[in-house]
Amino acid sequence: DGGITQSPKYLFRKEGQNVTLSCEQNLNHDAMYWYRQDPGQGLRLIYYSQIVNDFQKGDIAEGYSVSREKKESFPLTVTSAQKNPTAFYLCASSIDRVSLNTEAFFGQGTRLTVV
Amino acid sequence: KNQVEQSPQSLIILEGKNCTLQCNYTVSPFSNLRWYKQDTGRGPVSLTIMTFSENTKSNGRYTATLDADTKQSSLHITASQLSDSASYICVVSAGSRGNKLVFGAGTILRVKS
């Protein structure tokens, strides 16, 4: 089955630790995205990548880092510099970020909690 | 500033009843508008996508409308089922190439038996 997979589903982090969220897709999509979802708010873009070895900051990139070494993978690292990391994180992919009818397919999300 | 406002914030209806969710946007230049359904703790799943030239699109019991002049969209759910309980998110693509997505906060729908 083609799809986009996020892991783990739940993640707990101690203050001061870096953690990495995994996102893998086998849809052969060029573009991949990371969003953060907080209660009562719309999804906010953290980082996006349109092609391998290239990525761009979104609206709330501070305290986060990404890499895109393979087309299929776009891991997100939440660093200790992110002061309020507790949230639901969603990864998405699409064929081409510039198409008028581009549809984004989402993973099942990772819920990160700082303990 | 590009914004997407959804109403109501939450809604409770009885199984079998119809309901309509609203989405108003101030996004320019407009490219397309999508409605997503998000079950609790899951990723959003696309229901419909409409460009500025389309004013109605259906997907089973879901019918979306778009008025590009008033910058309003609605999602009508017919004969609701318990499985319709979810958050419904309106997403507008901005930019001349539709390459910036602006998300609404969503409407939480609960269908009761």
Side-chain angles (χ1 to χ4, degrees), chain A residues 41-57:
Chain A
Q41 297 188 39
L43 274 69
R44 292 182 290 168
L45 182 64
I46 304 172
Y47 268 98
Y48 68 93
S49 167
Q50 290 179 263
I51 196 169
V52 174
N53 291 323
D54 183 67
F55 49 83
Q56 305 294 329
K57 291 182 179 180

Side-chain angles (χ1 to χ4, degrees), chain A residues 37 97-98 100 102-103 108, chain B residues 32 34 42 46 97 99:
Chain A
Q37 188 174 34
R97 195 168 192 266
V98 302
L100 281 180
T102 296
E103 178 176 349
Q108 295 304 298
Chain B
N32 62 54
R34 310 162 190 171
R42 309 290 294 271
S46 178
R97 299 189 300 177
N99 56 357

Side-chain angles (χ1 to χ4, degrees), chain B residues 5-8 13 15-16 28 30-32 40 47 50 54 56 59 71 81 85 88 91-92 94 96 98-99 109 112:
Chain B
E5 302 285 342
Q6 291 188 243
S7 62
I13 62 173
E15 187 178 13
S28 182
F30 173 86
S31 178
N32 62 54
T40 301
L47 293 174
M50 291 188 291
E54 299 174 294
T56 302
N59 178 3
K71 298 186 177 181
Q81 300 175 358
S85 296
Y88 291 84
V91 184
V92 180
S96 57
N99 56 357
L109 173 65
K112 292 171 48 177

